[in-house]
Amino acid sequence: MPPISERAHRDDVLDDIYASTILRKGLPKDRFPDSSNLPENVFAAVRDELMLDGNSRQNLATFCQTWVDDEIRRLMDLSIDKNMIDKDEYPQTAEIEARCVRMLADLWNSPTPGDTMGCSTTGSSEAAMLGGLAMKWRWRKKRQAEGKSTDKPNMICGPVQICWHKFARYFDVELREIPLEGDRLIMNVEEVLKRVDENTIGVVPTLGVTFTCQYEPVKAVAEALDRLQKETGLDIPIHVDGASGAFLAPFCAPELEWDFRIPRVKSINTSGHKFGLAPLGVGWVVWREKSDLPDELVFNVNYLGGNMPTFALNFSRPGGQIISQYYNFLRLGREGYTHIHSACYDTAEYLAAEIGKMGLFEILFDGDRKAGIPALAWKLKDGAAIGGYTLYDLADRLRSRGWQVPAYSMPANREDLVVQRILVRHGVSRDLAELLLDDIRRAVAWFEQHPVTRPMTAAEATGFNHN
Ligand SMILES: *Cc1c(COP(=O)(O)O)cnc(C)c1O
């Protein structure tokens, strides 16, 4: 037996992460652990679990940012301890949030960008709840002032993201979602007008519909609502869900009128962590003018040592994403956002052209920057596929090479239509697109050699489609 001091030394030498107790026996999964473990061993164990997650850069389903520069990593590290709600303790972070709101109000052409209301959120979903609540409150106040009933609010939209279904259910609003018809895969003026009445709290067009990536016609709907007001007196506001588009159109389709240039547009939400290029966890909602956000929805928090207005569903919230958003605004400016997003549109158009050339697919949206976001969507041409595969089978085959290219069915009344979609984000380079095209061609050739005897159905498809 060597002396104790030497044995301790040998133990250190023998120390090995994968031979340590926790990694040799397997990690606790169902019971709260009794004992402690060395941080480096636990880190390795958890990091290795994460290897089984998909590679986010090959995830062409998500609209969210998967590439950030090193400066953002450093700012995120510096702000790991900053709580957005402690506006008194972190006044400069609060000031940065306010600057971002003013910059967005300016980008979206608010008549009073220096003085409007808006806030950061955890994403577009929370921002949509706040925008929806403000519409509901404004409608209710008006109805109460007229001595009319306030028990049946409704909201009108096209094929919306799930957050609006949540808003409607959580806050008791009837969702009048316009069904699709034939080749019309978004809202149009006639269908909106069929559904408005005195209980409509607002119309919500989407700038970048989740399913096909198209922009809905905000201006045409606003003009139709202007005519309706002239004829009937009904004054129905618009909230734009610009989760993706509000960070794209101002740069790549500046002449498109969808924002506060239209007086009827009272509020806009967007996701900072999508085409705002910030890390995950930030969204924004901005009102056209201060008076568009009812006072009753704003709380004044004073027990943290100051008196600060807050409007949010969360209390504590990380500040790093907001600081990174500000960094992006300063780093990129209009010039940089235009530069980055145009490259994405070019690649989306290229992919659409190449996939179209394969002869098997009909392109439903081709990445046209005046009409939607940098993305493409297609369906199988009737009878074109040799080998009996569906788009679900194709998605599954691509998954074996690490690509996530979701296939999904459309909402009512086009549930029969199965669509596949690619989002081209910052970091999806032309070379990455070429590699994907090669894999699509290989997958198609595989199915031609190995026909599918039982095509995959929607229920069996596991692909995450972000709807
Ligand atoms: C992504 C998305 C949302 C939800 O946004 P999060 O930031 O993920 O909460 C809402 N609406 C549309 C149109 C979207 O694309």
Side-chain angles (χ1 to χ4, degrees):
M1 211 46 179
I4 287 197
S5 60
E6 227 174 278
R7 259 192 284 151
H9 174 69
R10 292 242 0 117
D11 281 350
D12 284 350
V13 171
L14 273 178
D15 227 7
D16 179 88
I17 286 174
Y18 293 98
S20 68
T21 317
I22 182 170
L23 276 112
R24 290 180 152 192
K25 284 211 208 131
L27 306 177
K29 294 181 183 72
D30 307 312
R31 281 193 62 236
F32 199 90
D34 292 319
S35 52
S36 306
N37 291 282
L38 285 174
E40 57 271 29
N41 294 349
V42 176
F43 177 82
V46 175
R47 180 197 57 205
D48 288 1
E49 292 246 351
L50 296 179
M51 288 192 313
L52 296 183
D53 276 343
N55 170 12
S56 66
R57 298 287 301 285
Q58 282 182 290
N59 176 1
L60 304 178
T62 185
F63 294 66
C64 294
Q65 190 50 249
T66 51
W67 187 90
V68 292
D69 56 27
D70 285 339
E71 284 74 12
I72 287 194
R73 291 176 196 277
R74 280 157 60 197
L75 284 172
M76 288 296 281
D77 196 35
L78 282 175
S79 35
I80 199 161
D81 54 354
K82 290 187 192 294
N83 190 346
M84 224 34 246
I85 197 73
D86 291 344
K87 294 184 198 266
D88 195 55
E89 195 168 339
Y90 307 113
Q92 214 50 37
T93 300
E95 165 61 20
I96 283 173
E97 181 193 28
R99 286 179 197 170
C100 287
V101 167
R102 294 195 292 270
M103 288 180 178
L104 286 173
D106 174 50
L107 186 68
W108 298 335
N109 297 296
S110 159
T112 59
D115 173 50
T116 186
M117 289 296 276
C119 58
S120 66
T121 58
T122 45
S124 272
S125 302
E126 186 188 0
M129 306 290 152
L130 302 180
L133 281 171
M135 285 195 292
K136 187 176 172 184
W137 252 249
R138 287 198 309 262
W139 166 82
R140 190 161 57 195
K141 264 211 287 203
K142 199 164 79 185
R143 297 280 294 172
Q144 279 164 346
E146 293 165 356
K148 293 182 177 155
S149 72
T150 59
D151 53 352
K152 283 203 164 64
N154 70 66
M155 181 198 118
I156 295 164
C157 58
V160 273
Q161 211 265 358
I162 187 166
C163 68
W164 292 103
H165 291 263
K166 288 184 181 173
F167 165 72
R169 195 175 306 171
Y170 296 168
F171 297 108
D172 240 338
V173 173
E174 181 200 345
L175 194 71
R176 297 188 175 169
E177 189 173 356
I178 298 168
L180 310 179
E181 205 185 305
D183 291 340
R184 181 183 56 72
L185 303 176
I186 55 176
M187 71 164 52
N188 69 10
V189 165
E190 297 72 47
E191 296 298 322
V192 169
L193 290 180
K194 272 187 211 165
R195 288 169 179 79
V196 288
D197 60 29
E198 57 178 13
N199 289 316
T200 302
I201 64 170
V203 177
V204 178
T206 300
L207 217 61
V209 168
T210 311
F211 305 93
T212 54
C213 308
Q214 295 160 289
Y215 290 161
E216 291 192 308
V218 182
K219 191 173 184 196
V221 169
E223 285 169 352
L225 293 174
D226 289 346
R227 290 193 294 274
L228 179 83
Q229 184 173 4
K230 258 200 205 119
E231 289 158 17
T232 67
L234 280 183
D235 182 8
I236 296 173
I238 290 178
H239 170 96
V240 178
D241 180 351
S244 298
F247 266 119
L248 289 160
F251 308 115
C252 297
E255 63 296 327
L256 185 75
E257 285 180 41
W258 63 275
D259 56 10
F260 297 131
R261 279 169 284 182
I262 301 172
R264 196 170 288 281
V265 173
K266 299 298 182 197
S267 46
I268 297 169
N269 71 268
T270 195
S271 297
H273 53 221
K274 291 185 176 174
F275 293 90
L277 306 178
L280 277 174
V282 60
W284 301 93
V285 56
V286 176
W287 283 268
R288 179 185 169 76
E289 291 175 84
K290 215 176 192 153
S291 53
D292 293 317
L293 175 61
D295 296 336
E296 299 88 329
L297 287 170
V298 179
F299 286 79
N300 281 302
V301 180
N302 59 17
Y303 56 90
L304 292 171
N307 197 344
M308 290 285 179
T310 95
F311 181 29
L313 299 182
N314 283 63
F315 189 67
S316 295
R317 202 152 52 79
Q321 290 82 346
I322 291 135
I323 292 164
S324 303
Q325 183 80 85
Y326 184 56
Y327 164 83
N328 275 332
F329 289 176
L330 302 186
R331 154 85 181 98
L332 298 172
R334 289 177 194 257
E335 185 185 23
Y337 275 103
T338 308
H339 193 56
I340 289 171
H341 293 335
S342 320
C344 293
Y345 277 111
D346 290 347
T347 298
E349 285 178 350
Y350 173 74
L351 274 169
E354 291 300 310
I355 288 173
K357 280 184 208 159
M358 293 179 195
L360 301 166
F361 310 106
E362 182 182 330
I363 305 294
L364 300 172
F365 179 69
D366 66 355
D368 176 358
R369 64 203 72 196
K370 307 257 183 286
I373 70 178
L376 53 147
W378 65 86
K379 64 171 198 162
L380 264 178
K381 277 190 189 159
D382 288 340
I386 303 166
Y389 59 93
T390 61
L391 290 179
Y392 300 119
D393 292 301
L394 182 56
D396 192 55
R397 183 95 200 137
L398 291 172
R399 188 77 188 241
S400 68
R401 289 276 292 165
W403 302 108
Q404 297 182 52
V405 187
Y408 48 88
S409 62
M410 295 293 290
N413 289 332
R414 285 305 314 269
E415 296 95 333
D416 60 301
L417 176 60
V418 178
V419 169
Q420 196 159 29
R421 182 193 68 200
I422 289 175
L423 256 290
V424 180
R425 305 182 308 277
H426 194 198
V428 178
S429 64
R430 186 62 65 99
D431 276 308
L432 212 56
E434 295 283 7
L435 294 173
L436 171 68
L437 285 169
D438 286 344
D439 280 329
I440 294 178
R441 292 186 194 106
R442 262 197 288 269
V444 166
W446 168 272
F447 287 126
E448 287 172 4
Q449 296 303 314
H450 305 83
V452 174
T453 44
R454 203 176 66 73
M456 198 181 264
T457 62
E460 289 165 332
T462 52
F464 169 60
N465 66 38
H466 215 262
N467 298 329

